[in-house]
Amino acid sequence: MSAHTSIVLVHGSWHGAWCWRRVMPLLRAAGAEVHAVTLTGVGERAHLMSPTIDLNTHIQDVIGLIEAEELSRVVLVGHSYAGMVITGVADRLLRERPGCLAHLVYLDAALPYPGDSWSSHHSEETKAARIASAQASGGLHFPPPDAKLFGLDGADRDWVNRRQTPQPFRLYQQPLPFDGEAVAQLPRTFIDCTSPALATIAPSRERVRREPGWQLIEMATGHDPMVSDPQGLSRHLLTVWGQAK
């Protein structure tokens, strides 16, 4: 194993690298090299919103960061929607750069099967609402929910609500083909945020409890633990990082 293992953080929908602001100093203080990517079309890259943005764009965003920073071994963390992204990144890196990925961390995240889209395991009600919202923008994007949904209130809720930006829509129903057997061979951890538990993540939390090969961590906080419990999340990520070194 390489002596140098980095952590790469990939945010979920409507967010940006800004959401890790409270976590990154804690990880770095413990000696970890940490990078956070902002996916095209959101956060400080919202000005790049385009109807051409899809899953492949976001997969390339992450691979581009790994290549630009010359990272040789990575603990890859994907929050929420980014479970789709890190799965696609893993599929590519397993073929193109074997040995680069040390561990995948799905942080209250989507867990696709080969050929699934992000929408595959959502309720019909959720799908209809997001499709309708996207139609209002001409199919370009759909707006963020109130951060109260993520278990946030007060100043934290206001902070996230100010910073969230619309999510590109094209990727919502886009299938993700990947080698499921190969990805399943990687060390994988699922962090389940249980209080309050976000309904759209229910299929993922059920899956990791019935399938072998998962390290499961529960956090008694909401869907944005990087905001609501940065110390707790940092401890868990550092534990995984320590295992991967």
Side-chain angles (χ1 to χ4, degrees), residues 123-143:
S123 69
E124 293 306 316
E125 181 182 8
T126 296
K127 290 180 192 177
R130 291 185 175 179
I131 291 168
S133 295
Q135 288 171 344
S137 70
L140 183 61
H141 54 62
F142 55 102

Side-chain angles (χ1 to χ4, degrees), residues 79-143:
H79 175 236
S80 195
Y81 150 72
M84 301 291 299
V85 179
I86 69 169
T87 301
V89 171
D91 183 62
R92 274 190 52 183
L93 290 181
L94 283 168
R95 288 182 280 112
E96 298 172 5
R97 291 187 56 188
C100 178
L101 287 178
H103 205 110
L104 296 178
V105 179
Y106 290 82
L107 175 56
D108 221 35
L111 285 182
Y113 291 104
D116 278 352
S117 69
W118 179 23
S119 65
S120 289
H121 301 283
H122 289 171
S123 69
E124 293 306 316
E125 181 182 8
T126 296
K127 290 180 192 177
R130 291 185 175 179
I131 291 168
S133 295
Q135 288 171 344
S137 70
L140 183 61
H141 54 62
F142 55 102

Side-chain angles (χ1 to χ4, degrees), residues 52-224:
T52 65
I53 296 170
D54 63 6
L55 258 175
N56 297 318
T57 311
H58 288 170
I59 289 166
Q60 186 56 49
D61 286 336
V62 178
I63 290 176
L65 181 143
I66 291 170
E67 291 176 343
E69 298 292 345
E70 299 184 335
L71 306 182
S72 59
R73 189 162 172 81
V74 172
V75 172
L76 187 57
V77 181
H79 175 236
S80 195
Y81 150 72
M84 301 291 299
V85 179
I86 69 169
T87 301
V89 171
D91 183 62
R92 274 190 52 183
L93 290 181
L94 283 168
R95 288 182 280 112
E96 298 172 5
R97 291 187 56 188
C100 178
L101 287 178
H103 205 110
L104 296 178
V105 179
Y106 290 82
L107 175 56
D108 221 35
L111 285 182
Y113 291 104
D116 278 352
S117 69
W118 179 23
S119 65
S120 289
H121 301 283
H122 289 171
S123 69
E124 293 306 316
E125 181 182 8
T126 296
K127 290 180 192 177
R130 291 185 175 179
I131 291 168
S133 295
Q135 288 171 344
S137 70
L140 183 61
H141 54 62
F142 55 102
D146 190 311
K148 183 178 182 180
L149 182 69
F150 309 144
L152 301 175
D153 54 26
D156 288 346
R157 176 185 176 189
D158 293 342
W159 184 66
V160 172
N161 279 340
R162 285 197 309 273
R163 289 172 172 268
Q164 290 193 111
T165 51
Q167 177 78 356
F169 178 67
R170 183 176 179 181
L171 50 78
Y172 184 59
Q173 297 172 298
Q174 179 185 359
L176 177 66
F178 65 94
D179 186 337
E181 290 187 7
V183 172
Q185 296 306 307
L186 289 167
R188 296 170 299 161
T189 293
F190 187 86
I191 300 179
D192 185 4
C193 299
T194 62
S195 183
L198 191 68
T200 53
I201 305 300
S204 297
R205 63 174 58 96
E206 293 163 7
R207 177 178 169 186
V208 298
R209 285 170 169 83
R210 68 173 183 264
E211 287 186 359
W214 287 96
Q215 176 172 282
L216 176 63
I217 296 171
E218 291 188 5
M219 293 186 68
T221 190
H223 185 59
D224 270 13

